[in-house]
Amino acid sequence: MNSLWTWEALCFAVGLDPTEGPDVAGISIDSRTLKAGDLFVALHGDPGPRFFSSHRSDRDGHDFVADAIKAGAVGVLVDREVDAEISALHVEDTLDGLWQIAAARRGNYPGKVVALTGSSGKTTLKNFLASALDTFASEGSQNNHIGVPLSLARTSVSDGPAVYELGTNHPGEIGPLSQLVTPDVAVVLNVSPAHIEYFDSIDALRQEKLAIVEGLSPNGTLVLADDPDLTVPSGINSLRFGHDSSADVCIVNETQDWVALETPSGRIEMDIPGGGKHRAMTLAAAGAVLFALGEPPRLLERIRASSIPEGRGNRISCGRITLIDDSYNANPASMRAALEVLAGSEGGRRIAVLGDMLELGEDSTNYHRELQAHMDGIDGVVCVGKRMQALDACLDRERRMRYFERADQALIDYLLSVTRSGDVLLVKGSRGIFWSQGFVASLMDAFDAA
């Protein structure tokens, strides 16, 4: 078994006197996915007032210690007594203990660390960097008060760079996460009205994203888009990327499938993995990070379409149609980018199945309605969800297909009945509309069986 942590190191990390115990191969917070050799961290379902959680519950990880042991846990991190014969780290609060373990790993990590944030495209950028650098990156979208320390705690000590994703939907979240990660390179990919419901304004959201510099290491570098509204804090080294000719990494030419970047280390031309001009910006951001790390821009050529996370615009041949699965999440900017990709797709009719964009606050209706202005090249639109009624009501007769309250079997049956061979179908909406329902998997099964 490869050792991620010695028991002695874990004891020191959480402030306990060292005792004998097993080496730990991994860190887990879920007894259902725990692997043999892991340390099980018994978190509470309610993180307390320090952190926002949309899923507060009365569940307690301590109630699943027995299940974790059956699954092969070799130790547990707990804040109350448990009836089990297993090595245990007893702390005052298990979430604090997880943060302490994360801080200890960061403190002895010899390689460079990259932290990134943005309103959309964070996970894609993280995966692009992991591919380009052939290095560790946090799994999935582990970007909150649990996911970030868990990712750090799971990081093996290495001389190579490590990449972490930081997210927010409430003020005051990015700063503490950045202080935990203490990045050598911090990235603000973009800022748009995503998760803006709990912010006073878009400027307040910008300031929250820029709080990523709070943990920036001495002589670290901030990489940010060439957005004039993103102001570099005083005394911070910075690099810009984007279309402006003054940007350090500049997009000098692009199509939906190809981009030319001018970097301080030379020019690079390449196909855009997965296509889409929005991903050209993601490549430019990755190029700026490579330069900040002292790496050559040609490493971008390692990136393939397979680096794009599931549900972020993946193009899939599905029975008689081509499916663009962009069902993981949505905000106004990412919705416009997805519509642009669909409009530029070759094939039969281009049909958009658009679900609600969530967490947009009091301007939600306007954000949905404004999508009407971005329908050039789209042949048909199916609206799904209560908020999407605003768009459905203002679509012209030629494009408006049918409205559905939810993504269910009735929607699948309708799409089977109206699509033709060669059609391109985009599924795009916030996570709670399609992704959490497993809608795209059901839709694929239906088309493959048709």
Side-chain angles (χ1 to χ4, degrees):
M1 179 183 75
N2 292 327
S3 175
L4 179 68
W5 287 90
T6 66
W7 194 257
E8 182 181 41
L10 286 169
C11 289
F12 280 124
V14 297
L16 299 175
D17 292 332
T19 59
E20 289 189 6
D23 286 354
V24 167
I27 309 289
S28 175
I29 60 171
D30 190 335
S31 61
R32 297 167 298 182
T33 57
L34 181 144
K35 296 179 181 178
D38 283 358
L39 172 76
F40 178 63
V41 180
L43 295 178
H44 299 275
D46 187 339
R50 295 171 300 162
F51 303 106
F52 170 78
S53 175
S54 58
H55 304 289
R56 292 180 188 272
S57 72
D58 295 329
R59 293 176 73 107
D60 188 338
H62 295 79
D63 297 333
F64 299 92
V65 166
D67 293 332
I69 294 172
K70 288 180 183 178
V74 295
V76 293
L77 178 73
V78 294
D79 55 31
R80 65 175 171 84
E81 293 297 326
V82 291
D83 185 18
E85 293 288 333
I86 192 171
S87 297
L89 300 166
H90 292 273
V91 295
E92 291 187 7
D93 180 271
T94 50
L95 183 55
D96 285 344
L98 179 60
W99 276 62
Q100 288 174 308
I101 293 171
R105 179 47 41 98
R106 177 62 185 103
N108 62 25
Y109 191 79
K112 296 289 186 179
V113 168
V114 179
L116 59 96
T117 192
S119 296
S120 59
K122 295 185 295 295
T123 307
T124 299
L125 174 58
K126 181 196 67 182
N127 286 11
F128 278 9
L129 288 170
S131 295
L133 294 165
D134 189 23
T135 193
F136 175 87
S138 54
E139 297 178 8
S141 297
Q142 298 274 8
N143 60 29
N144 65 2
H145 63 280
I146 296 174
V148 174
L150 183 62
S151 296
L152 271 167
R154 288 171 168 171
T155 306
S156 298
V157 176
S158 166
D159 290 333
V163 187
Y164 303 93
E165 177 182 337
L166 313 187
T168 181
N169 53 21
H170 273 68
E173 294 180 326
I174 292 288
L177 293 175
S178 176
Q179 291 167 21
L180 178 65
V181 175
T182 55
D184 299 289
V185 180
V187 187
V188 179
L189 179 58
N190 50 47
V191 181
S192 61
H195 306 297
I196 199 172
E197 183 175 3
Y198 298 101
F199 291 86
D200 292 335
S201 64
I202 188 70
D203 187 60
L205 184 58
R206 287 189 194 97
Q207 296 311 308
E208 172 71 8
K209 301 293 187 185
L210 286 167
I212 197 169
V213 302
E214 291 184 14
L216 193 63
S217 63
N219 300 316
T221 302
L222 173 64
V223 171
L224 69 171
D226 59 351
D227 179 347
D229 293 320
L230 285 174
T231 304
V232 178
S234 177
I236 300 294
N237 298 321
S238 67
L239 291 170
R240 295 273 190 173
F241 64 89
H243 293 89
D244 193 287
S245 59
S246 65
D248 299 278
V249 175
C250 179
I251 298 172
V252 294
N253 201 356
E254 65 183 328
T255 67
Q256 284 288 342
D257 302 308
W258 172 89
V259 66
L261 301 174
E262 195 66 54
T263 82
S265 302
R267 185 184 177 102
I268 185 168
E269 300 179 4
M270 63 181 292
D271 292 335
I272 300 172
K277 292 183 178 180
H278 59 300
R279 292 202 182 100
M281 282 290 283
T282 308
L283 284 174
V289 171
L290 291 178
F291 179 72
L293 293 172
E295 300 287 352
R298 67 175 181 275
L299 295 185
L300 292 175
E301 295 173 352
R302 293 178 174 177
I303 301 170
R304 298 290 182 267
S306 58
S307 300
I308 298 170
E310 187 178 355
R312 275 81 160 192
N314 315 84
R315 192 176 292 265
I316 306 162
S317 295
C318 187
R320 64 177 179 266
I321 68 164
T322 296
L323 177 66
I324 301 176
D325 177 14
D326 210 340
S327 62
Y328 182 77
N329 219 337
N331 61 60
S334 69
M335 189 71 83
R336 293 191 297 270
L339 289 169
E340 183 179 14
V341 169
L342 176 62
S345 298
E346 296 181 357
R349 295 174 304 164
R350 290 155 291 198
I351 299 172
V353 183
L354 306 181
D356 287 348
M357 299 180 290
L358 305 179
E359 298 183 21
L360 294 180
E362 60 185 18
D363 289 329
S364 177
T365 297
N366 288 333
Y367 286 128
H368 285 81
R369 186 182 294 125
E370 288 169 357
L371 293 176
Q372 185 209 7
H374 302 277
M375 294 297 168
D376 288 349
I378 308 299
D379 298 301
V381 181
V382 179
C383 291
V384 184
K386 293 181 179 179
R387 294 165 181 82
M388 268 297 165
Q389 284 182 300
L391 174 62
D392 183 71
C394 64
L395 286 170
D396 58 70
R397 184 177 300 178
E398 290 75 19
R399 289 193 181 92
R400 184 175 185 267
M401 296 181 72
R402 188 169 163 185
Y403 167 77
F404 289 81
E405 287 189 2
R406 63 186 65 86
D408 55 13
Q409 186 61 43
L411 174 57
I412 292 175
D413 292 342
Y414 173 74
L415 294 174
L416 283 171
S417 69
V418 299
T419 50
R420 307 168 188 161
S421 179
D423 284 351
V424 183
L425 195 70
L426 166 70
V427 179
K428 175 74 173 174
S430 282
R431 195 175 321 170
I433 307 304
F434 298 119
W435 183 266
S436 62
Q437 317 303 321
F439 175 78
V440 167
S442 298
L443 183 65
M444 289 172 60
D445 288 343
F447 271 106
D448 285 338

